[in-house]
Amino acid sequence: MNAATTTPLQSDVLLPERLGDLTGLNEFGLAGELLSTLIGAVIVGSLILAMTAVAGPWAKRKITASFTDRISINQIGPAGIGIIIADAVRMLSKENIIPENADRPAYDLAPIVIVGSALLGFAVIPMGSGIQLADPEVGLAFAFAVAGIASIGLVMAGYSSGNKYSLLGGLRAVAQNVAYEIPLVVTGMSVVLFAGSLQMSTIVDAQNTQTLVDLGVVSIPAWYALVNPFAFVLFLIANFAEVGRNPFDMPEAPAELVAGYQTEYSSVYFVLVYLGEFLHIFLGGAIISTIFLGGPAGPGPDALGIVWFTLKIWGVFFLTQWLRSAVPRVRIDQLIEIGWKGLLVLSFANLGLTAAIVGVIA
């Protein structure tokens, strides 16, 4: 890999600091910093929730209809986009039915845990155009840790619903996440070996301050998806299992578990659980884009970083929906075997090979 002359995409000035300078809140000390951080969190959260609102009720149906040669929603607003508001009103206006055997407050807290864990993960993601809430030195480890909290929410939803199908869905979620969390993290560590840091901004800059191939007029950046495509494919597969998308959607498995851990949820609770599912898909896409696809890097000025980053996230989302329509679900025993006997072994082999290559280069 050759050193490039491009300047790092990420600066030391985070979004809360920029907002504090623009609004003058930094002059009020700690209270001003907290307020500017809250404003920044609202901005980032609104951006992510807006994408999720488009993905769940509308984009998912449109993509699936295209793959299965069916007519999707097209009556409410242009191209059926009004279904977003219609579905929100329909779901939130329904009665929130609580099962008699529900174990509260675990039943009530589970949807919040599922949604909150995903939103926390976006705090350390550099989205480009100066949009990043925090940049700790252990940013990648933080993203993995908070994303894993969702497993607790799924277990809470499963056992607290007082329903055997929900319980089986919760147990499958635990088995699946344990089987695939380790390959996911180990594969991510191979990226850390290349970048030499867990800090998200450093990982992004390491990919974009070097070139893989320099053709004179065109330079191919050293994105880790190109440097180590084997690790990229492993991470994609493990991520699909972590977010429960085909062929790894066993915690839900409508054909045999009705809806799994979310069977007994309705109204606003169901909306939160459904929202959490798509938030984790986008969080997985954000992590993949950051550590393998150069983060917000792309042609044009750095101000377009948020645009390129958003397109990469949607690219990962499109791939999940493609698999949902094209790949059949595996059995639960096959799922566990793929995780423990396949991905786990391959992820450690990839880590060892990457360490050897980095050692030789160093």
Side-chain angles (χ1 to χ4, degrees), residues 283-299:
L283 177 59
I287 296 175
I288 290 170
S289 301
T290 300
I291 68 176
F292 282 106
L293 301 177

Side-chain angles (χ1 to χ4, degrees), residues 45-58 84 119 122 274-280 282 314 317:
S46 298
L47 174 63
I48 301 303
L49 289 173
M51 290 197 299
T52 307
V54 174
W58 184 75
I84 298 173
L119 290 176
F122 285 99
Y274 191 69
L275 176 68
E277 178 182 335
F278 282 88
L279 282 173
H280 279 278
F282 279 115
W314 276 95
F317 172 77

Side-chain angles (χ1 to χ4, degrees), residues 296-329:
D302 292 344
L304 293 177
I306 183 62
V307 177
W308 290 114
F309 186 75
T310 303
L311 289 175
K312 292 173 185 178
I313 292 179
W314 276 95
V316 175
F317 172 77
F318 177 82
L319 182 58
T320 63
Q321 300 309 305
W322 183 356
L323 294 176
R324 184 174 182 268
S325 300
V327 180
R329 181 186 302 118

Side-chain angles (χ1 to χ4, degrees), residues 131-222:
I131 302 177
Q132 186 179 10
L133 291 176
D135 192 23
E137 294 183 357
V138 293
L140 183 58
F142 175 85
F144 283 144
V146 296
I149 296 175
S151 300
I152 301 175
L154 299 183
V155 175
M156 292 169 61
Y159 85 81
S160 65
S161 294
N163 179 299
K164 62 181 180 181
Y165 298 106
S166 300
L167 178 60
L168 286 173
L171 294 176
R172 284 185 175 185
V174 174
Q176 178 169 321
N177 288 343
V178 170
Y180 287 87
E181 186 78 27
I182 300 174
L184 189 76
V185 173
V186 172
T187 306
M189 289 304 101
S190 66
V191 170
V192 174
L193 290 178
F194 278 118
S197 175
L198 286 164
Q199 194 170 20
M200 290 298 217
S201 61
T202 302
I203 294 174
V204 170
D205 290 336
Q207 297 175 77
N208 297 292
T209 54
Q210 295 185 356
T211 56
L212 185 63
V213 178
D214 192 353
L215 302 177
V217 180
V218 179
S219 295
I220 300 177

